[in-house]
Amino acid sequence: MSLSIMISLRQLSRSFATSARPVATCSLRSRGLHTSTVHFNETPSTTIDPSTIPKTPADLEGKVSASIIESLKRNNFNTLTPIQQLSLLPLLKTEKGMVCRAKTGTGKTLTFIIPTLESAIARKTPGVDTLVVAPTRDLAQQIFEEYLKVISKLPAKVRKPRVALITGGRSGRINLRDPEAIVIATPGRLAADLDNRSAAELFDSLSFRVYDEADRLLDIGFEPTLDSIHDSIMRVRANPDKPLKSLLFSATIDDCMTNFAVKHINPKYDYINTVADDEPNVHENIHQILVECEDAIDKYQTAISYIADAVQEEHFRGIVFLPTKTSVDWLEDYLKQISQAGIASERRLFGHKGEAQLLKIHGGMTVSRRENALRMFKNCPKGLLIATDVVARGIDVKEVTHVFQFGVSDDPLDYVHKVGRTGRAGKTGKAVTFLTTSERPYTNTLARRAQVSFKEMIKSSEIHQYDIYKVQADYEETKEFMLPNFSFLIQTCDKYRLNLNKLVEENMEFFRRVTGEADAKIRLSGFMKGSLKRVSRDISDEYFVGGGGGSAGGYRDGGYSRGGGYNSGRQGSYGNYTRSDRGGYNNRGGDRGYNNRGGYNRGDRGSGNRGGYKKGYERSSRNRDDFDDLFG
Ligand SMILES: Nc1ncnc2c1ncn2[C@@H]1O[C@H](COP(=O)(O)OP(=O)(O)OP(=O)(O)O)[C@@H](O)[C@H]1O
């Protein structure tokens, strides 16, 4: 039987600085994996001597090469974070790999960079030594830069390992003649490259394989791709008996990850967990605020008013998370109009000298546009980034002061990662979530699944409101935001026991209010018609044409009042109708819709692997919107 060692890490993890004495006592506990434990299966021991835990890079002397210690110092990493203190020595010694869990913003990336770089520097033969797999292109790019940061500060006499970045949307390849020692990749692109036997052979003596945001990799349906990568690597392995060390990192762990670790490491894998079972998953440096709004009309007005005031504070860098690409596009345009109309300030809120940059990022943008947006967000003195889940995980931007969430997240653990974009590296930050009365049951799931408790609850009436609805949003663009938003809401209704009728009603009332079309109806087609079948006939008749409730022939959208194109004047009614039919309901450009990107197939794959059509489908729905481009 393996033993696990329970360590009280609360004090240690409370602050990023490590002056606190990390380990007071170690007591033996035989609990499951979801505890604050260091779980060493191969070297069972009942005590850890706190004096053996390294607290600064200098304490790693003799265990890590002097050149790496020098680089850490040059990078001003003067103390080690709790996860680094606890896991660096085990990671340097591990023979098969391990799982490491620590809260957001606590330095997990450097935790795997140090041992893998050590291995790459020590390597005598050509070939890839470490493979790091990340779920998004943006995160892969960030990890790449973090490696370069450490490598570039190695003393001149050291042979510097080279690093390759292999993701979709980029032309870079591993150098077949002289392979880079470290490869950072997203799964789809890597799997495609490994189909080429000579590329696969570069991995024949791989030492480390790192899965960053491991639970996310699985959550978005990458498991079959990861299995195929595994098979390609194992097929060419020069010494099949030599274990390949797999390191799994995340701030959150779910059962899928546990099963994956069993398969990809070993059934008795070691596990370092710095978050106790009963401890909130969110870092304590994050001040969580819940703003209680009446309905969607109130929510958007309150949230935009709150943001408008926050933007005008002296120090501001905020991220707004929204569930779909079209909602991101919509909010960006709407905020631009609000800024231009001078609704919340005489000066423009965005774009003018001294004011904030307004930026957006989502999976429908090209790699270079995404890189650009993130770079600008990192470098501007003040900025607001509107984003989908593509930057929910791992993305490290210094001094994000606010994270805003309009409504619920697809998964309660996503909430933890999103708020984790602030309150990083010892800094504090605010995470503000705006929920309508119908969305409120979501907080019960947050509390149960992630021990989330809001430090502050504010009623929307307590927030200074600007009359945002003086600005009318573009009808077509708002409609394109609404439909995928409904798809998203349908999924969340089941998960969080929300009332679909109320959600549809309040969102359609918002649609009417913000477009200024008091009796607008949306024409449903194909997929949406089926999805909204569960909506009551009354609601359906009130808001939809050709909807689930069986309304015959509506008159608004696609009907006479839009037929003349008086509002958008773009293509007349038939044009509107075909556009949404042909282009996929969640897209503006017509050819980026879910039908065209193979997202549905992925849903099939996901479902086959994740136990049941429903789960796979639900999860893949998000993929369709956001993660399609990773598979290229
Ligand atoms: N020992 C250290 N001293 C000072 N800063 C550090 C140290 N280790 C890491 N950092 C910095 O802390 C920040 C957060 O680190 P990192 O992005 O690795 O967090 P993380 O734990 O992976 O978070 P997430 O779960 O959100 O991915 C980065 O800016 C990183 O450079």
Side-chain angles (χ1 to χ4, degrees):
M1 194 187 82
S2 66
L3 302 177
S4 67
I5 299 158
M6 174 71 198
I7 295 180
S8 168
L9 287 165
R10 292 240 172 117
Q11 195 188 5
L12 182 63
S13 59
R14 194 146 287 144
S15 71
F16 190 80
T18 53
S19 52
R21 197 176 161 77
V23 178
T25 53
C26 308
S27 63
L28 193 65
R29 299 251 297 249
S30 58
R31 294 172 61 179
L33 285 172
H34 300 275
T35 55
S36 178
T37 56
V38 177
H39 188 104
F40 296 117
N41 288 293
E42 287 166 9
T43 52
S45 156
T46 55
T47 54
I48 288 182
D49 177 358
S51 68
T52 63
I53 293 179
K55 300 172 189 79
T56 66
D59 294 343
L60 296 169
E61 228 164 83
K63 320 268 183 349
V64 171
S65 54
S67 54
I68 293 184
I69 295 175
E70 183 57 31
S71 166
L72 296 177
K73 290 182 189 161
R74 290 177 181 177
N75 272 295
N76 289 324
F77 296 133
N78 298 320
T79 55
L80 298 174
T81 68
I83 185 69
Q84 291 161 4
Q85 292 182 33
L86 276 181
S87 54
L88 277 174
L89 298 186
L91 283 172
L92 287 160
K93 282 193 291 199
T94 187
E95 296 207 334
K96 292 183 178 138
M98 57 174 56
V99 175
C100 296
R101 179 185 180 204
K103 290 185 180 180
T104 54
T106 57
K108 291 186 288 297
T109 316
L110 191 63
T111 308
F112 64 75
I113 287 181
I114 293 171
T116 52
L117 196 54
E118 178 73 17
S119 172
I121 290 174
R123 188 182 175 102
K124 300 277 182 294
T125 52
V128 180
D129 196 67
T130 287
L131 166 65
V132 181
V133 183
T136 64
R137 297 168 179 183
D138 316 278
L139 183 55
Q141 166 83 29
Q142 181 180 292
I143 295 169
F144 175 73
E145 287 167 10
E146 202 70 10
Y147 266 104
L148 295 188
K149 207 159 95 182
V150 181
I151 291 170
S152 66
K153 293 268 166 67
L154 289 169
K157 60 179 189 311
V158 178
R159 190 184 53 85
K160 295 187 170 66
R162 284 173 300 113
V163 189
L165 177 62
I166 307 296
T167 74
R170 246 181 268 271
S171 56
R173 298 206 168 270
I174 306 170
N175 186 332
L176 291 176
R177 292 222 178 110
D178 182 15
E180 292 80 0
I182 297 160
V183 172
I184 325 274
T186 47
R189 170 66 198 283
L190 179 67
D193 280 13
L194 291 182
D195 283 345
N196 173 345
R197 174 109 193 165
S198 38
E201 277 168 358
L202 306 175
F203 291 79
D204 67 354
S205 53
L206 191 67
S207 305
F208 280 101
R209 169 173 59 179
V210 180
Y211 298 104
D212 196 20
E213 304 294 346
D215 56 329
R216 175 56 143 206
L217 281 165
L218 303 172
D219 175 55
I220 56 175
F222 277 129
E223 193 166 352
T225 316
L226 296 178
D227 284 344
S228 125
I229 292 169
H230 174 81
D231 292 345
S232 303
I233 291 174
M234 288 308 169
R235 254 197 305 275
V236 296
R237 198 141 178 83
N239 180 356
D241 298 330
K242 190 176 170 214
L244 167 54
K245 300 174 223 185
S246 296
L247 313 181
L248 278 67
F249 279 81
S250 186
T252 50
I253 303 273
D254 62 16
D255 291 342
C256 297
M257 183 157 153
T258 310
N259 296 336
F260 187 77
V262 166
K263 198 161 89 189
H264 284 251
I265 304 178
N266 129 343
K268 290 182 172 183
Y269 61 87
D270 294 340
Y271 179 45
I272 295 188
N273 180 9
T274 62
V275 189
D277 243 3
D278 53 353
E279 192 182 340
N281 290 1
V282 174
H283 200 285
E284 35 290 323
N285 282 354
I286 304 165
H287 184 79
Q288 297 174 81
I289 302 172
L290 172 64
V291 182
E292 299 176 330
C293 307
E294 302 286 319
D295 52 24
I297 291 178
D298 185 32
K299 180 171 80 174
Y300 280 92
Q301 168 145 315
T302 303
I304 290 173
S305 300
Y306 191 109
I307 290 170
D309 279 343
V311 167
Q312 296 176 68
E313 286 171 16
E314 194 184 342
H315 299 290
F316 175 82
R317 195 184 303 276
I319 305 178
V320 179
F321 281 105
L322 293 172
T324 60
K325 292 185 282 197
T326 48
S327 53
V328 168
D329 290 335
W330 180 86
L331 186 64
E332 187 212 22
D333 283 354
Y334 196 58
L335 285 180
K336 269 187 199 157
Q337 286 187 63
I338 292 208
S339 167
Q340 275 162 15
I343 298 290
S345 151
E346 280 174 16
R347 299 183 64 194
R348 288 190 185 182
L349 289 174
F350 301 106
H352 262 198
K353 216 175 163 203
E355 295 307 335
Q357 289 261 13
L358 181 61
L359 300 156
K360 71 173 174 187
I361 186 163
H362 60 60
M365 291 160 59
T366 60
V367 163
S368 64
R369 283 185 67 207
R370 277 157 69 164
E371 266 177 36
N372 231 0
L374 266 181
R375 195 175 311 115
M376 284 169 83
F377 185 57
K378 285 178 180 176
N379 295 330
C380 64
K382 260 185 175 192
L384 181 70
L385 179 69
I386 310 171
T388 56
D389 286 11
V390 285
V391 291
R393 295 258 188 164
I395 295 301
D396 182 58
V397 178
K398 303 257 175 297
E399 300 185 10
V400 169
T401 55
H402 293 77
V403 168
F404 304 102
Q405 295 183 63
F406 290 24
V408 307
S409 279
D410 183 56
D411 186 295
L413 297 183
D414 289 346
Y415 170 90
V416 174
H417 290 272
K418 287 177 193 171
V419 299
R421 296 316 97 208
T422 185
R424 300 173 71 75
K427 295 279 189 300
T428 55
K430 278 187 185 171
V432 194
T433 303
F434 301 89
L435 295 179
T436 68
T437 307
S438 341
E439 290 167 334
R440 211 73 48 78
Y442 167 63
T443 57
N444 301 331
T445 314
L446 284 184
R448 205 176 53 249
R449 288 276 318 280
Q451 288 77 42
V452 168
S453 65
F454 291 93
K455 300 250 166 58
E456 222 182 308
M457 317 264 259
I458 307 177
K459 298 243 175 295
S460 60
S461 55
E462 295 169 52
I463 287 169
H464 177 251
Q465 304 274 340
Y466 296 105
D467 186 5
I468 64 161
Y469 297 113
K470 276 193 209 155
V471 173
Q472 211 166 296
D474 178 81
Y475 185 93
E476 283 307 315
E477 195 180 12
T478 313
K479 192 178 85 180
E480 286 169 19
F481 143 42
M482 278 292 128
L483 288 174
N485 195 44
F486 284 141
S487 279
F488 173 76
L489 290 176
I490 290 163
Q491 299 168 36
T492 58
C493 279
D494 291 340
K495 278 184 203 164
Y496 305 125
R497 296 169 189 260
L498 310 182
N499 184 323
L500 180 61
N501 282 317
K502 281 199 181 139
L503 285 173
V504 169
E505 185 178 17
E506 71 179 16
N507 278 283
M508 282 306 296
E509 284 302 321
F510 164 71
F511 173 67
R512 288 174 169 182
R513 180 73 183 268
V514 79
T515 57
E517 297 233 12
D519 53 358
K521 294 189 183 208
I522 291 184
R523 176 175 290 279
L524 299 181
S525 62
F527 179 78
M528 282 310 296
K529 221 188 261 184
S531 300
L532 285 168
K533 248 193 197 122
R534 287 157 48 198
V535 171
S536 77
R537 192 178 184 103
D538 287 355
I539 300 277
S540 189
D541 284 349
E542 173 62 30
Y543 298 111
F544 302 120
V545 179
S551 160
Y555 63 94
R556 197 80 189 162
D557 183 53
Y560 81 87
S561 74
R562 306 196 54 71
Y566 75 90
N567 194 348
S568 71
R570 283 193 212 164
Q571 296 182 54
S573 62
Y574 186 64
N576 292 335
Y577 179 65
T578 35
R579 237 179 79 147
S580 70
D581 244 3
R582 207 183 39 200
Y585 69 88
N586 60 352
N587 271 285
R588 313 210 300 151
D591 64 350
R592 291 182 290 144
Y594 76 94
N595 287 330
N596 300 313
R597 297 298 305 268
Y600 197 74
N601 294 339
R602 244 165 276 137
D604 289 345
R605 279 201 274 162
S607 65
N609 262 286
R610 303 295 305 279
Y613 172 77
K614 189 152 183 280
K615 196 169 180 188
Y617 172 71
E618 281 178 5
R619 288 174 187 259
S620 69
S621 301
R622 180 176 53 180
N623 299 350
R624 280 203 306 263
D625 190 63
D626 230 1
F627 290 91
D628 287 356
D629 53 342
L630 302 182
F631 290 80

